[in-house]
Amino acid sequence: MKISPEQAGIPSYRELRRVPGLHRQEVAQLAGVSTDHYTRVERGSIRGVSESVLEAVAAVEATA
């Protein structure tokens, strides 16, 4: 199920959303990492990423 930013407890970055669910910036914010860092993890460039970051991102994506 796709959740809205409001359901996740964060403000929406844009009013108009082309796709349901959270944007990269919102997932990164909830995981406590930078958008750039999250984008690299998302693309599979995870060399040097800590286990705690991977767990945080996985937890956010599991709820989204």
Side-chain angles (χ1 to χ4, degrees):
M1 175 179 163
K2 302 287 183 178
I3 65 170
S4 69
E6 293 79 19
Q7 290 171 315
I10 57 174
S12 178
Y13 284 99
R14 300 181 188 147
E15 285 194 29
L16 213 63
R17 297 179 89 79
R18 291 187 283 180
V19 295
L22 301 175
H23 291 161
R24 282 186 183 103
Q25 303 95 318
E26 296 159 344
V27 174
Q29 179 183 359
L30 290 171
V33 298
S34 71
T35 303
D36 181 56
H37 196 69
Y38 172 72
T39 301
R40 283 184 271 147
V41 170
E42 183 184 51
R43 291 181 178 165
S45 304
I46 59 171
R47 183 176 46 222
V49 175
S50 70
E51 186 175 329
S52 63
V53 167
L54 292 177
E55 289 174 353
V57 169
V60 171
E61 291 186 354
T63 61

